[in-house]
Each structure stands twice: as structure tokens, then as C-alpha cells.
Amino acid sequence: MLLNQFLLLGAVLFCTGVYGVIARKNAVMVLMSIELILNSVNINLLAFSLFNQNIDGNVFALFIIAVAAAEVGVGLALVLLVYRNRRSIALDELSEMKG
Amino acid sequence: MVASDIQVAQNIGFGIIAVTMIVAAIGVVTNRNVVHAALSLVVVMAGAAAQYILLAAEFVAVTQVLVYIGAVMVLFLFGVMLTRARLGREADLNNKNFVIGIPVALIMLGVMGWALIDGFHGQKMPTNAAPVTTKALSDAIFAPYLVPFWALSFLLLIAVVGAIVLARKD
Amino acid sequence: MFQLFSADTGHAGWFLEHAWLIPVVPGVAFWVIILFGKRLPMKGSEVGLLSMATSLVLAAGTAYQWIQRVDDASSGESGRGVAHGASTLLHSALETEHGVYTQPVIKSWTWWQSGGLKFSIGQHVDGLSVMLLLLVAFISLLVQIYSLEYVRGDRRYTHFFAALTLFSAGMLVMVVAENMVQLILGWEIMGLCSFMLIGHWWEEEANSRAALKAFFTVRVGDVGLLVGTAILFGAMGTFSIQGISLKALDGSTSHTVLLMASIALFIACIGKSGQFPLHTWLPDAMAGPTPVSSLLHSSTMVVGGVFLVARLYPVFHTGFDINAAGQHFNFISVIGGITIVIAALLAFVQNDIKKVLAYSTVSQLGYMMMGLGVGAWVPAVFHIFTHAFFKCCLFLCAGSVSHTGSHHSFDMKKDMGGLFKKMPVTGVCWIVSTLALCGVPFVSGFFSKDEIIDNAHNNHYAVFWIIGLGGAFLTTAYMTRATYLTFFGTPRGAAAGEHAHVAHSGTEDDPLDADALSPEPADVHDPAFAMARALDIEAPDYAVARAPAGSHGTVALLREEELVAAAAHDHGGHAHDDHAHDDHHAPAHGFIVKTDSPALLTVPIMILAFLAVISGYLNAAPFKIEKFNEWVAPVSGVFFPELAHATFKWVNALPSVLLVAAGFAVSLFVCKAIYNEAPSALKGLTRRSRILGALHAFLVNKYYLDFLYENVIVHAIAHPIAQGAYWINQNVIDKIVNEVGINGRKSGQWVYRNVDQRVVDGAVNGSGTVARETGGALRPVQSGKINQYGALLFGAAAIGALVLVIVNT
């Protein structure tokens, strides 16, 4: 197995996630795209961890998974709050910070 | 089975799973149905778990399945439900400026691809690497990475408390 | 060499050394009077009097020390003049072949230096200066005492005394002048004060015109003074009088230069001393108050010209070749001679007593000039001395007459006559002075004027001898006329107590007086009464109160029993030169004689009359007294030309004595014929005879000289100049000013529109717009949309990565 194949896979997923962040209107969809990105990072880390025979990569990947979970929890809580106040989670409409 | 066979099997397995993941990922970002997108994400995550096994990180793979697919995706589906996303197709899930995402993503892909190919061309993974044991992992976590572990625990605590505080109704 | 003489010794006696204080004291007093006079109890006059008294004391001391100096010098004692160190020539005396020359006391301080040229101020005290110092100080003091009464209550009492004091200071500066610059300074101060004093009552236009006429006429002459000084400086390199005198006599200056300088300087004397043709201002100057006339225009200021000639006599003597062999005419004597005659003729047709005296002054100044012109230096200078006393006395008598006898009128024909009974003291003084003026033997004028006439004959100026004799005849004649009209005959007009004349526009008493409305009745000089009278208001209270002394009616025509001037004064119409103050005297005011003038007026007159008699004895040639000659005349071949001196013989004096007697007789006869009421063939002669009438008109119009000067010469010069100046003003200057204004406004507007509005505001607004537009352009970046933020973030990262990759390969 080439190292590159895993890395490239990660790159493709990353770019897909980036596209999703930019293109998606629904806040939950954006969060999902962010999950994609995080997963691609995980793949990257683990690939290098195996390549360098270093366990730190695994540890880091575990941490990322934990952090991602926390982040999704808080993020969804925020989205819920926004939904409660505005009845909409279309990011196009959430431009109060415009300036 | 010779080692090379395993290699070939690994490569084929990688290929199938990779394609599945990519297709599912594209599905995540382009599906008009939110629930379908979420389910596509599940596919992506499952594929990721499989890749982790291929990468001799079994513990991480299992954790991925348990946490990501089991908890995070459920959260997502709850979120979808609570925010009354329309079930079924909706007109446009893309925002106004979605076109700018394409070149950005493509440029990124191009850059990264080129850098990777240029940098890691022909580098092979170690052939008969033993899978990472849980013991080694825990040794690593609880010794050198103890403090990040604690920080992480604290973070999770905060996240939980914060989520509850944010989302409670009264 | 002369410099050695100019630095005189330090042992000349305190008064001589400090003679420069004599002008300084009145000068300081002037400032004191100006600044503080109005607050003083006597309104500044006390300062004036004090300063003149101080000057007189100093002058007397100076005279005494000078006489001592002369006596010491002539007696050979040079102990008083030896200086320590320096040159042996620093004596008070200089031996010359003509006797001992007493050195003047000269001091000078340099007040300005420029390029090696020094301007100094100081004193040059010799016999001539000492005589004039004493004279000016004494007469100024007497006139100021006289003025205390005469101008009492005047509207500008303080300024009057200030001007009198300043005048004295100016004349004293001139008299002790060490150099020409200082002399010019004193000359000009005198001219200024003359202007101020003639125009003292400038509210009446005639007075201000007279003052201007005096000033301008003298100014015309002053050009000559400056030119002459410049010529002398150019030729001799010095301003100092001693230096000029020296250089004029030692032959180092060309004769032509001296002639030019003499002509120029003499023109100034013509103006200042009222010689023909610039004499026209003097009679008009009688518009000033009588003290002014008596001080300035008879005794002191007008002799300034004579003084100048006497002072710089070496220049004139050499320039005009005065005593050169075969000389029968020279410029000075001709002018002097003409002046004597024409002024004397004019005195016959004057009705104003002051004008008679003015022309008499002009005539006598002609005598002085003629005397200097024929080389009779000592007689001419002595005539200054005696003339000052009797002429001043005559003027003060005229003032006294008008003050007490004719209710401020000076018109002899209308308001005087028969005043001798009322005012005997004044009358006697007048007559004594007249005798002196006419040159009656044994009175002072004889010893001075007849000396001039005698020396004219002696120095081979026969024509002027004849002119002098003729002048004596005429003088006696017109003075007899004046005396007759004033003091004898029947009283007329105001002298008779009548006061019914047209209401006078300007009043004698000052309606502008501040306390005019005081209710107190008592004093005769009450300004309130004057106010009432001036406004033609009946003042019954006063009338009642004064009933015993005589009623005070207003415009009513009253014939008073008493000839006391205890009546209202409404006189107008006649030539009022003098508007001093209300003088209706209760009988108790006269001095010695109750109907005469008060003491402050009469005492100075008496003093002067006394001096008019005895001053001549200072140099009485018949009695071989030559004190004046000794003390005043400089004797020298170095600093003063040698002059011949006629010896007195009664034979030579006989023609003038006879002419004086003849003049008196003829004049008395004619006066009695014309002015008495009895019919006479001589009455109305000028109306009947065409020739005589024309002659009379010619005289009355003062030879049409005024017409010539003012309407022809001045108009011809000034009118085009004035028109030209007006044209320039309107078309050139105003145009320039307007153009500047217009252009200023236009350029202002242009700048406003283009620079201010467009450029400056544009820049300011533009920068604001740029900022706003930039902000506006950049605002969409922060849209608040997360997707966009994400796009930016990842886009930037992508590009950054691209750049990095490219850079690193």
C-alpha cells in the first residue's frame, strides 16, 4: 500500500468537506461537512502513524474523535438555539454580524 | 497466502472502500435531502473505520464506529429532526454563492494532490506492521499525553454542560 | 585756529558759564504750564512769571559778569580768562590793533554726529547776546505781568502763557545760539509761537487768516535762511558762528560766495523783520492780543532779523562791501530805506491805533536795517535796545487805552479822543514814549536813531541820510496824529461812554468760559455777567445791584454821566483785535488815577516809559557816555570788521531836530483842521481832489501789495497746483485705490471659487469619499454569512498553499 493513496483519499475528503462548508445553506449540513473534514484529517494522521511506526498519530486521532464529538454537541446546541429564535437555520439569513 | 497477496487484497479493499467513501462524501455535500445526506455521512464514517483497520489502528476504528457513527450521527439526526428540516427533497440546499466553493475546492485539491505526489511519491507503507495494541495506546495516552487527556476530559465536560445550558428550554 | 577760541575757559564766571540756562528755564516752564497749568491756582501764569523772573535774574547776572569781563579785558587783566593747560590763547581777551577784544563765552555740546559732521548746541555769549538776553527776559516779564490783567478770564488763558513762555525760550535760544543750526531752531520756535499767539482767538476767521499770513510770509523768507546756512557751510565747513565770522574776514572765502550767502540770509531777515516787500504780515499780526503785539511784534521777535544781520555781520559786511570805498548803495540799506518810507506813509491812513504802531515798528525796523546797511552797527543795535522799551510801552499803552478807555476798541476815529483827562498816567507814558520814538533830544530815541542817521552821512551813504531824515519827519507827523486822535480832541464813541453799536458776534468776554453760569454777582469780571450780556439778556439783578455805580443796560443806547466804563458793553462792528475780557471797571480800579487802568497794567507801562527816557543814556554820545559801545560792540579785526564811528556834533544833529519840530507842528495843524468840528479847507480833501483821493486809496490799500501777493502770485501758483493735485487725487490716486479694491475682491472671489471650493474642498471631500467608498467596497467581505467566511478562509488557505508550493519548488 502506498502512503499516497491514503493521503490522497484524505485530500479528496477534505476538499469535499470544504466545498460543503462553502456551498451548503443548512447549518447542520455545514456541520456535517466539518465532520467530513475531521475524518479526512484522521485518515491522514493514521496513515502517517503507520508509516512512521509512531503511536502518537493514533493518540492524536483518538483525541480528534473526542473533540469532534464535543464540538458536534455544542454546535448542534447552538443550531437548536438559533432555530428556536429565528425559526430558520438557513445561513443565508443569519447575517446579523454583517458589517 | 503470501504477503503479496495480502497486499493485493489490501489494495483492492482500500480501493473499493475509498471509492465508496468518496461517492458518499460527494453525496453528503450535494444531496438535497438532509436525511439522505446524513446517511451518506454514515457511510463515509463507516468507510473511514474500515480504512483505519487497514491502517492497523483497530482501536481507533472501533472508537470511530462507536463514537462517530453511534453518537455523533445520532446527534446529527436528532438535530435534523429538531430543526424541522423538511423531510424529503427541498428546493435548494445550496446557498447563493455555492459556485465559489468549486474552484476553491479544486484548487485545494490540486495543490494538495500535487504536493503529496511530489512529496511522498512511491513511499510504501510497512508491509507487516503489527496492529497497534490497546495496551500501547493506553500507555501512550496515560503517560506522555496525560495532560492533554485531562484537558480533553475537561473539554468534554464543558461541552456537555455547555450543550445542556445552551439548549435547555427554560 | 578758531577752534581754540571756541573752547573757552572755565573761569568766566558762573552766570556767563551757565548762560545756557536762560533759555532752558522758560523751555521747561512751557512744558510745566502745558501739562499742569490748568490745575494750578493761577492757571499756569505763575509758572510763566516765575520762569521769566528767573531768566531775568540769570540774565542780569550774566550781564554783570560780562561787564566785569569786558572791564577786566580792557584793563589788561587776563587773570579771569586763563585756562588750565591747553593753549595760551585761551584768554578772555585778545589783543588786537584796535583795542582789546573780549572773548565771548562759548560752549557747545554735540548732540548728533554723522560722517564727521557734528551738530552741536550751546551758547555763544558776547555783548550782543547779553544785551538781548537782558532785554528779552525783562520785556517778557513785564508783558507777562501785564497779561495777568489783560487776558484775565480768557478762554485759553493757560495756553496763552504757555505760548508766551515758549516764545521767550525760543528767542533766548536764538540769542545765545552758538551755531547756525541752533539759531534756526530758535528762529523757527519764534515763528511757531507767533503763529499760535496771533491766532489766539482763532475762532474768528480774520485772526486765523492773519496768523497764517504771518507764518507763510515769514516762511517765504526762511528759505533764504536755510539756503544761506547751506552756502556758508558749504564754503566754510562749519556752522559755528565764531567760525563763520572768522572765515568771512580772513579772506579764505570767495567774495561771491559771501555775497550769495548774504543775499540769502538777508531774505530771511526781510521776512522776519518785516522789511519791504515782506512786510505785509506785520500789520495783520495785530489781530493777536495786545501783549503779543507788544512782545513779539515790536520789541523782540521782529528784531530777530536785525539780530541775525548783527550777529553774522562779518558775512554781510564783506559780502555787501558795506564800508568799501565808493559804495553808496547796498542791498540792506536800500531795503531798509524803502521800508522806512513806505511804512511811515502807510501809518498816516490807519484808523486802528495798533496798526499805526505796527507800521511804526516796520519803519523803525527799516531804520535798524538801514543802520546795519550803512555800517552803523552800534547805533543800530542800540536802537534795538531803546526801541524795544518805547515801542513796547506804546503798545501796552494802546492796550491800556482799549482796556479802560475805549471798551476794547482800537479804532481811534470812532472810539477814542480826549482820553488824556481820563487816563493821565497812560497818557503821559504814551507821550514820553512818542517823544523817544520821534527822536526828540535827550530822550532815548535821539541817542540811537539819530546816531544811525549821522553815521549814514558819515559813511558816505548820502541818500540814506536823506531818507533817514525824511523818516524822522514822517514819524513825528504820524505819531502826532495818533496821539491827537487818541488823547486829545473831543471824545468819540466808546470814549464818550456810548455803547450803541451793532451787537458783536464775538464777545470780549469769553462766552465759552466754564463758570459762565455761576450765580454769584460780586466781581466786575464776573463771567456770568458777560454771558448775560453776550446773549443780550437783560440782567436786572445786576442792574439793581449796580445802580449806584451806573446801570447795566443791555443794548440800550445810554449816555453816561460818568465816563467810567461801568456800563454794559455791546459793541460790535469795529475792528476788534483784542477780545481779552470784560473790563467794565467800577471806579475803584485805576492805579494812581482812578479812571485809569489797574496797577497790573499801569505799572509795567510806567517802568517802560521810565526806561524809554533813560535807556538812551547808556550810549549818549553828546555826553560822551559810551558804555553801550564799550560793553556790546566787538572790537576786532579777526572776528568783526572794523567799523568807522562818527563823532557826535550838535551841528550834525540839527537837521533831524528841526525836522522833528516841523513834523510836529505841521501834523498838529493838519490834525486840528481835519479832526476838529470847526470847518476847514482841509477837510474832505481826499474826496475832492482826484489825485489826492487816488493817493489816499493807494495808501489805504497798502500799495496793493496784498492784492499782488495773494490774488496774483499765490493764486497763479497755487491755483493750478491745487487743480492739478485735485485731478491727480480723483483720477489717479482714487483710481488706483479703487482698482486695487476691485482687483482684490475679484481675486478673492476667484480664489474662493477655484482654490477654496474646488481644490481644497475637493481634496477634503475627496479623501472622505475615498475612505467611504473603500469602506463600502470592503464591506461585503464581512457579510455575516458563515459560508462566505468559510469560503474566504479556505480560499485564502488554498492560495497560500499554492504560493508556498510554488515558492518551494
Side-chain angles (χ1 to χ4, degrees):
Chain A
M1 289 187 292
L2 289 171
L3 175 61
N4 263 350
Q5 63 198 38
F6 289 101
L7 299 181
L8 280 169
L9 174 64
V12 171
L13 286 177
F14 184 86
C15 293
T16 313
V18 167
Y19 173 75
V21 167
I22 295 171
R24 282 309 202 174
K25 197 159 64 167
N26 196 325
V28 179
M29 298 306 304
V30 170
L31 282 167
M32 282 195 234
S33 309
I34 291 172
E35 290 309 310
L36 261 181
I37 291 170
L38 286 167
N39 276 294
S40 78
V41 168
N42 265 351
I43 291 174
N44 209 341
L45 274 168
L46 288 168
F48 273 110
S49 170
L50 178 63
F51 181 73
N52 291 324
Q53 289 293 302
N54 196 341
I55 205 168
D56 294 342
N58 285 49
V59 174
F60 205 171
L62 277 174
F63 284 173
I64 285 177
I65 290 172
V67 168
E71 172 235 326
V72 167
V74 174
L76 279 174
L78 280 169
V79 169
L80 263 170
L81 215 50
V82 167
Y83 179 77
R84 260 191 233 146
N85 285 325
R86 287 172 169 270
R87 307 305 291 178
S88 157
I89 49 168
L91 290 175
D92 276 348
E93 296 162 26
L94 297 176
S95 59
E96 294 270 311
M97 295 289 275
K98 172 173 71 139
Chain B
M1 285 234 194
V2 267
S4 61
D5 287 334
I6 298 173
Q7 297 264 340
V8 171
Q10 281 179 330
N11 284 339
I12 292 171
F14 169 78
I16 294 170
I17 295 169
V19 170
T20 313
M21 282 172 75
I22 290 171
V23 170
I26 290 173
V28 169
V29 296
T30 55
N31 212 322
R32 294 208 190 131
N33 190 333
V34 182
V35 179
H36 288 187
L39 291 173
S40 301
L41 191 59
V42 172
V43 171
V44 170
M45 286 177 181
Q51 296 288 4
Y52 296 166
I53 291 175
L54 276 175
L55 286 170
E58 288 156 358
F59 186 77
V60 181
V62 171
T63 309
Q64 165 99 348
V65 171
L66 281 175
V67 171
Y68 252 124
I69 302 174
V72 172
M73 286 321 297
V74 171
L75 261 178
F76 267 120
L77 286 166
F78 267 112
V80 166
M81 175 193 84
L82 286 171
T83 59
R84 309 259 166 81
R86 254 163 267 155
L87 300 174
R89 288 169 180 246
E90 41 182 90
D92 43 346
L93 224 49
N94 287 343
N95 64 19
K96 274 188 292 178
N97 297 329
F98 73 97
V99 283
I100 212 171
I102 302 170
V104 171
L106 284 175
I107 290 172
M108 249 188 186
L109 188 59
V111 169
M112 279 197 279
W114 189 83
L116 286 171
I117 292 171
D118 190 51
F120 299 105
H121 180 73
Q123 311 256 0
K124 282 196 189 248
M125 290 292 205
T127 41
N128 48 353
V132 173
T133 56
T134 309
K135 175 179 180 302
L137 208 54
S138 73
D139 282 341
I141 288 175
F142 290 106
Y145 294 104
L146 187 59
V147 174
F149 176 74
W150 284 344
L152 187 63
S153 324
F154 200 58
L155 176 72
L156 283 170
L157 175 66
I158 290 168
V160 167
V161 171
I164 292 171
V165 165
L166 281 171
R168 61 182 178 167
K169 278 247 183 178
D170 55 58
Chain C
M1 173 181 144
F2 70 90
Q3 273 149 352
L4 298 167
F5 288 99
S6 66
D8 202 12
T9 77
H11 289 266
W14 191 90
F15 284 102
L16 281 172
E17 291 286 312
H18 293 89
W20 53 268
L21 280 173
I22 300 179
V24 166
V25 169
V28 169
F30 165 72
W31 288 110
V32 172
I33 298 176
I34 284 283
L35 292 171
F36 304 111
K38 293 207 174 132
R39 292 176 242 163
L40 295 171
M42 279 171 71
K43 292 220 188 305
S45 58
E46 62 267 65
V47 178
L49 284 170
L50 198 62
S51 71
M52 292 324 303
T54 314
S55 289
L56 181 60
V57 167
L58 289 171
T62 311
Y64 176 71
Q65 286 191 342
W66 173 258
I67 292 173
Q68 272 192 325
R69 189 177 165 89
V70 170
D71 285 342
D72 288 341
S74 59
S75 68
E77 209 185 287
S78 54
R80 278 194 181 265
V82 183
H84 295 299
S87 157
T88 53
L89 286 169
L90 290 175
H91 294 180
S92 66
L94 175 69
E95 285 277 344
T96 71
E97 54 263 29
H98 304 281
V100 180
Y101 167 71
T102 316
Q103 278 230 55
V105 180
I106 300 177
K107 285 171 141 15
S108 69
W109 299 273
T110 308
W111 54 269
W112 175 256
Q113 263 205 42
S114 142
L117 178 60
K118 287 190 184 171
F119 293 93
S120 41
I121 196 167
Q123 62 172 62
H124 171 112
V125 176
D126 67 353
L128 179 64
S129 320
V130 163
M131 176 202 91
L132 273 169
L133 283 174
L134 203 53
L135 187 72
V136 171
F138 181 69
I139 296 209
S140 298
L141 180 65
L142 286 181
V143 167
Q144 288 209 1
I145 294 174
Y146 186 88
S147 305
L148 282 176
E149 174 67 31
Y150 199 78
V151 291
R152 191 190 301 250
D154 188 84
R155 66 192 86 155
R156 280 183 289 274
Y157 187 82
T158 309
H159 283 199
F160 184 78
F161 276 91
L164 276 184
T165 314
L166 181 64
F167 163 76
S168 304
M171 177 121 193
L172 292 166
V173 165
M174 186 186 78
V175 163
V176 299
E178 187 267 335
N179 54 54
M180 289 305 294
V181 176
Q182 190 180 344
L183 194 145
I184 294 175
L185 172 72
W187 188 279
E188 299 297 344
I189 292 178
M190 291 199 294
L192 170 70
C193 292
S194 168
F195 172 76
M196 287 200 292
L197 287 166
I198 295 174
H200 183 73
W201 295 305
W202 51 263
E203 286 88 355
E204 279 112 48
E205 207 205 326
N207 298 342
S208 76
R209 263 192 285 120
L212 284 169
K213 183 174 176 185
F215 192 75
F216 288 139
T217 312
V218 176
R219 210 81 186 110
V220 168
D222 285 354
V223 173
L225 186 58
L226 293 169
V227 168
T229 311
I231 293 176
L232 287 175
F233 181 72
M236 300 175 179
T238 174
F239 287 116
S240 105
I241 288 180
Q242 184 157 48
I244 291 175
S245 307
L246 180 73
K247 290 210 167 161
L249 286 175
D250 66 3
S252 65
T253 326
S254 94
H255 184 263
T256 323
V257 167
L258 284 176
L259 179 64
M260 293 289 124
S262 310
I263 292 176
L265 288 170
F266 190 65
I267 290 175
C269 301
I270 291 178
K272 189 67 125 181
S273 292
Q275 306 294 302
F276 175 83
L278 293 176
H279 65 279
T280 49
W281 66 272
L282 233 171
D284 284 16
M286 298 299 119
T290 306
V292 171
S293 307
S294 67
L295 179 60
L296 270 74
H297 305 122
S298 63
S299 1
T300 44
M301 189 185 89
V302 292
V303 299
V306 183
F307 167 75
L308 178 63
V309 177
R311 186 49 121 204
L312 287 178
Y313 205 60
V315 175
F316 290 99
H317 193 262
T318 321
F320 286 127
D321 294 319
I322 289 182
N323 285 124
Q327 281 281 5
H328 298 297
F329 294 91
N330 60 57
F331 190 43
I332 298 182
S333 56
V334 167
I335 295 281
I338 295 177
T339 308
I340 295 174
V341 174
I342 63 160
L345 286 176
L346 283 174
F348 279 104
V349 296
Q350 302 302 318
N351 295 333
D352 185 328
I353 191 174
K354 277 175 72 173
K355 290 229 165 94
V356 172
L357 294 175
Y359 282 110
S360 169
T361 306
V362 172
S363 186
Q364 295 302 309
L365 288 168
Y367 265 104
M368 295 178 213
M369 280 302 186
M370 193 182 80
L372 286 172
V374 301
W377 193 90
V378 173
V381 171
F382 190 53
H383 196 52
I384 296 180
F385 187 66
T386 54
H387 171 266
F389 292 120
F390 56 70
K391 193 45 73 64
C392 184
C393 180
L394 284 170
F395 267 105
L396 295 185
C397 287
S400 161
V401 164
S402 95
H403 183 96
T404 315
S406 65
H407 297 302
H408 300 288
S409 165
F410 287 99
D411 191 319
M412 295 186 294
K413 281 201 174 156
K414 287 202 194 130
D415 285 313
M416 297 190 192
L419 285 173
F420 194 81
K421 286 201 206 64
K422 245 198 292 181
M423 307 177 66
V425 178
T426 309
V428 165
C429 294
W430 169 281
I431 289 174
V432 167
S433 304
T434 307
L435 292 175
L437 173 58
C438 298
V440 168
F442 306 115
V443 192
S444 64
F446 177 66
F447 298 119
S448 56
K449 196 165 75 171
D450 281 68
E451 281 294 305
I452 295 176
I453 297 174
D454 199 16
N455 274 285
H457 182 70
N458 192 49
N459 292 348
H460 311 292
Y461 284 93
V463 176
F464 300 103
W465 175 64
I466 294 175
I467 290 178
L469 288 173
F473 175 80
L474 292 172
T475 307
T476 320
Y478 67 68
M479 283 313 292
T480 311
R481 169 180 176 269
T483 314
Y484 187 80
L485 281 173
T486 308
F487 288 102
F488 299 103
T490 44
R492 294 176 290 277
E498 291 173 13
H499 8 260
H501 295 287
V502 177
H504 197 38
S505 57
T507 60
E508 312 71 39
D509 209 339
D510 190 6
L512 307 176
D513 202 316
D515 30 351
L517 298 172
S518 76
E520 288 189 332
D523 197 19
V524 286
H525 299 294
D526 184 7
F529 184 87
M531 181 65 132
R533 176 190 34 71
L535 299 175
D536 284 348
I537 296 170
E538 181 109 20
D541 299 332
Y542 297 100
V544 167
R546 294 227 182 273
S551 63
H552 302 281
T554 49
V555 201
L557 207 134
L558 299 172
R559 257 222 170 252
E560 298 255 335
E561 305 295 16
E562 296 177 27
L563 298 176
V564 177
H569 318 275
D570 287 319
H571 15 125
H574 33 236
H576 269 239
D577 309 281
D578 185 346
H579 302 272
H581 70 125
D582 187 1
D583 71 333
H584 60 287
H585 299 286
H589 268 247
F591 184 66
I592 299 179
V593 176
K594 286 206 190 314
T595 50
D596 211 320
S597 298
L600 279 173
L601 297 185
T602 323
V603 171
I605 295 175
M606 295 198 309
I607 295 175
L608 285 169
F610 177 66
L611 283 168
V613 173
I614 66 153
S615 63
Y617 285 92
L618 215 54
N619 205 41
F623 307 111
K624 303 285 185 283
I625 305 174
E626 301 234 326
K627 286 286 164 212
F628 191 84
N629 192 1
E630 196 182 308
W631 290 333
V632 172
V635 175
S636 161
V638 177
F639 293 106
F640 200 77
E642 318 154 25
L643 295 174
H645 225 88
T647 40
F648 180 79
K649 294 199 194 97
W650 278 106
V651 164
N652 294 339
L654 204 57
S656 74
V657 174
L658 287 176
L659 279 171
V660 164
F664 174 70
V666 169
S667 180
L668 191 60
F669 174 71
V670 174
C671 282
K672 279 213 157 109
I674 295 184
Y675 300 125
N676 273 354
E677 272 126 21
S680 156
L682 288 173
K683 277 214 180 118
L685 197 61
T686 51
R687 258 171 282 148
R688 280 178 285 141
S689 157
R690 278 211 11 215
I691 301 173
L692 284 179
L695 207 65
H696 188 252
F698 190 57
L699 284 177
V700 167
N701 285 316
K702 299 171 262 183
Y703 310 113
Y704 296 102
L705 276 176
D706 273 341
F707 178 80
L708 176 70
Y709 292 159
E710 284 171 22
N711 297 351
V712 177
I713 296 178
V714 173
H715 188 263
I717 297 173
H719 189 63
I721 294 178
Q723 279 192 324
Y726 183 70
W727 184 88
I728 290 177
N729 189 47
Q730 296 297 98
N731 296 328
V732 176
I733 296 178
D734 273 358
K735 203 153 183 240
I736 292 174
V737 171
N738 290 346
E739 283 300 311
V740 169
I742 290 172
N743 284 335
R745 198 184 59 207
K746 272 197 207 151
S747 65
Q749 283 177 337
W750 186 88
V751 168
Y752 175 71
R753 266 200 308 272
N754 297 330
V755 176
D756 192 48
Q757 298 289 88
R758 284 197 198 145
V759 174
V760 175
D761 277 0
V764 171
N765 292 346
S767 66
T769 310
V770 163
R772 196 181 54 219
E773 294 302 314
T774 313
L778 286 176
R779 194 185 296 123
V781 171
Q782 206 170 25
S783 65
K785 293 189 183 143
I786 296 172
N787 299 93
Q788 188 182 304
Y789 290 170
L792 277 171
L793 175 68
F794 291 119
I799 292 171
L802 185 61
V803 166
L804 268 173
V805 164
I806 290 174
V807 165
N808 285 336
T809 50

